[in-house]
Amino acid sequence: MIKNYGTCVGVRHRLDGTSQFRFAVRRNCPKGWKKTIPILVDGRDSVVLEQMTAAQEAQVEQRADELFRQLEAMRAGEFAPNDTVPPKIERSWEHLIELRRELSWEDLKPASRRTYASTQKTLLKMFGGDPSLAPSVVVESQTDKIIKARLKSPHQRKKAFQELSVLIRKAIREGWRSAGMEVASKSRIPDAPIRLWSPGELHCAVTAAIQTGERGLALLMISQWEIGQRLQSVRNFRYGTHYKNGVFRYRCVKGERPIEIEILNRSARRVLDDNYREGEWMFPKGDTGKPFTGPELSKAYTRIRKSVPGFDQKLQLRQLRHTVICELAKADCNALEISTITSHDIDTVHRTLKHYFVNNTEMARHAMEKRERRRLDNVTGMNGEFIIEATRRIFIGDRPKSEVPTPLVETTYYEA
């Protein structure tokens, strides 16, 4: 049970087992007042809760009471003496964004926070300077026209519409708007061109990586061609810990699901085993010997991509993972089998295949061949093998089984 040390007092637990006391004010904070104030215990900012004495707890409660009285005095000084209720909160975009961040901000990763903050800053520039576009009165026709006129990129428009919808729903829950005044848009990102890796492109990229001294990146691309895992997992693999005796074993960064994949391709297995060093990084940078960070990996691959003449300059390293999904599908693997290798959700596998194979002539031809083989089996009653060689189509049926006569049943008649 968590002890209540006073109004506005929060306890922050640290990884080393200690805790910190903070006097935190989130709303109606007077000007000049810090939103978070440390409460020290015997001059220290962190203590072990289980080891606190009664005198130390009383010290925290006394300090919290003093801060709360000061806070109330400053709040009272901002209002006229005859005011019996606090003034009405300004229903602005700035305040709405602040409310949005109060609860949903703590669980987000730093990169996600930066993305949302950038989109919110864009919305403030478009709607924050006009009272007629305040979050309590703005309507859908206004938001559509402004966003489509100001943002040319379909990706930026989609992000802006998504964040705007979240903010408007927050305004409805706060009572600023009626329930029927939601803002929605059918902003759609155009389908990206189909780009998958070919064996030739992989060979060129691997060769260029080795020539530029990035042998770790070359091994990473070879491994991705085989296993197609998330890059944030693969770039931190170690020999002996995540790979040993031709088998990758690790826990997926998304969902902590255990993954175990055996490398059956002899060439890839030989390359990985020849570079085996127990406990060392599998895919280190050429200059430092340490794993790539996300931005470093992207920059290193971009340099290699630009150094190869005729290489598709829009082919991404992450599309190796998509290529593995498609190669498995071409090998007649179903969505469940694919997900056990790439650690995707089954729905994600279906969406990926839909994107890459919606107009794929090779898959269509493969399906027609399976259909014809099935038709021959069912219509003619024959079993065999459908062989395709150049322009010839040959069906070799199995030798029909010879008929076996039905054995006679001897009947004995008895005379009466």
Side-chain angles (χ1 to χ4, degrees):
M1 182 176 180
I2 300 176
K3 177 179 174 60
N4 183 10
Y5 292 93
T7 307
C8 301
V9 178
V11 181
R12 294 182 180 178
H13 301 288
R14 307 174 68 189
L15 294 178
D16 59 0
T18 62
S19 302
Q20 296 174 327
F21 294 97
R22 292 292 184 268
F23 188 86
V25 180
R26 296 194 175 276
R27 296 189 180 183
N28 299 331
C29 188
K31 293 182 180 179
W33 183 276
K34 295 183 179 180
K35 291 187 177 181
T36 304
I37 301 176
I39 297 179
L40 305 182
V41 180
D42 294 336
R44 294 177 298 172
D45 189 27
S46 59
V47 294
V48 180
L49 289 180
E50 292 77 8
Q51 299 177 2
M52 287 184 64
T53 63
Q56 290 175 331
E57 292 181 350
Q59 183 180 348
V60 174
E61 295 173 0
Q62 181 180 359
R63 178 57 178 163
D65 187 54
E66 292 175 359
L67 291 173
F68 185 72
R69 287 199 301 269
Q70 296 175 15
L71 175 65
E72 289 297 303
M74 291 187 68
R75 283 174 174 173
E78 291 187 349
F79 307 142
N82 295 330
D83 288 342
T84 57
V85 293
K88 187 177 181 180
I89 297 176
E90 181 184 1
R91 297 180 176 181
S92 63
W93 286 105
E94 292 85 352
H95 185 59
L96 184 60
I97 291 174
E98 182 181 350
L99 295 176
R100 156 116 161 87
R101 295 183 180 185
E102 279 187 3
L103 298 178
S104 60
W105 215 247
E106 296 296 331
D107 297 332
L108 296 177
K109 297 180 179 179
S112 300
R113 293 185 187 182
R114 291 192 294 269
T115 300
Y116 285 126
S118 176
T119 306
Q120 292 165 356
K121 185 177 180 180
T122 302
L123 293 175
L124 280 176
K125 289 181 179 179
M126 291 189 290
F127 301 105
D130 191 346
S132 63
L133 300 177
S136 57
V137 296
V138 69
V139 294
E140 190 172 287
S141 59
Q142 294 173 313
T143 60
D144 284 348
K145 291 179 181 178
I146 293 174
I147 292 179
K148 290 179 180 178
R150 297 282 295 275
L151 300 178
K152 302 303 180 183
S153 168
H155 294 272
Q156 292 181 351
R157 284 201 298 266
K158 186 175 181 64
K159 289 195 298 183
F161 277 121
Q162 288 176 339
E163 183 63 20
L164 181 67
S165 300
V166 173
L167 291 172
I168 291 299
R169 288 197 295 270
K170 179 66 175 176
I172 292 174
R173 292 194 297 271
E174 293 291 328
W176 296 11
R177 300 166 65 94
S178 62
M181 292 183 65
E182 291 190 6
V183 172
S185 175
K186 297 180 180 178
S187 179
R188 179 179 172 273
I189 296 178
D191 293 334
I194 303 299
R195 286 188 174 88
L196 291 173
W197 285 69
S198 67
E201 289 168 328
L202 178 69
H203 181 268
C204 291
V206 168
T207 303
I210 295 175
Q211 291 175 346
T212 56
E214 293 293 355
R215 189 175 184 84
L217 179 55
L219 290 174
L220 185 146
M221 288 189 286
I222 293 174
S223 299
Q224 279 294 86
W225 179 265
E226 295 297 323
I227 63 177
Q229 300 301 299
R230 292 180 174 85
L231 287 173
Q232 58 264 44
S233 298
V234 174
R235 54 188 171 86
N236 293 310
F237 279 179
R238 284 182 183 270
Y239 284 112
T241 304
H242 303 101
Y243 174 82
K244 192 171 186 178
N245 297 328
V247 180
F248 283 95
R249 292 187 181 90
Y250 78 104
R251 285 191 173 272
C252 179
V253 295
K254 189 174 182 180
E256 291 293 322
R257 188 169 69 85
I259 305 294
E260 182 173 329
I261 305 174
E262 182 180 0
I263 301 300
L264 300 180
N265 184 280
R266 294 182 179 180
S267 299
R269 170 76 179 273
R270 184 172 60 254
V271 170
L272 291 172
D273 289 346
D274 288 346
N275 291 272
Y276 190 92
R277 302 292 184 274
E278 183 72 25
E280 294 187 5
W281 301 108
M282 294 187 67
F283 315 116
K285 291 176 59 179
D287 53 351
T288 64
K290 296 181 179 180
F292 288 93
T293 63
E296 289 172 346
L297 184 61
S298 178
K299 291 178 182 179
Y301 168 70
T302 301
R303 288 194 299 268
I304 292 171
R305 184 177 58 189
K306 291 181 178 179
S307 67
V308 180
F311 198 86
D312 186 356
Q313 296 302 307
K314 292 188 177 181
L315 187 64
Q316 301 294 323
L317 187 60
R318 58 182 173 81
Q319 288 170 330
L320 268 173
R321 180 164 160 82
H322 301 168
T323 304
V324 172
I325 296 177
C326 296
E327 291 295 320
L328 291 170
K330 291 177 183 178
D332 285 341
C333 296
N334 57 44
L336 181 59
E337 292 170 332
I338 295 173
S339 66
T340 59
I341 296 177
T342 63
S343 68
H344 278 107
D345 294 333
I346 294 181
D347 292 341
T348 305
V349 174
H350 282 299
R351 288 196 299 269
T352 304
L353 294 178
K354 178 182 178 182
H355 173 72
Y356 286 103
F357 285 160
V358 64
N359 294 319
N360 188 274
T361 56
E362 181 182 353
M363 291 295 290
R365 183 171 180 167
H366 184 53
M368 292 300 293
E369 291 168 358
K370 292 171 67 176
R371 178 188 179 190
E372 183 67 11
R373 187 182 307 117
R374 178 68 175 172
R375 186 188 70 82
L376 290 172
D377 288 346
N378 291 338
V379 174
T380 64
M382 296 175 60
N383 294 320
E385 185 177 1
F386 191 79
I387 300 176
I388 301 174
E389 180 182 358
T391 58
R392 295 188 301 168
R393 306 290 184 272
I394 305 173
F395 181 82
I396 300 179
D398 297 333
R399 177 178 297 177
K401 296 181 179 179
S402 59
E403 295 184 1
V404 179
T406 304
L408 296 176
V409 179
E410 294 183 1
T411 305
T412 304
Y413 298 91
Y414 297 92
E415 294 182 357

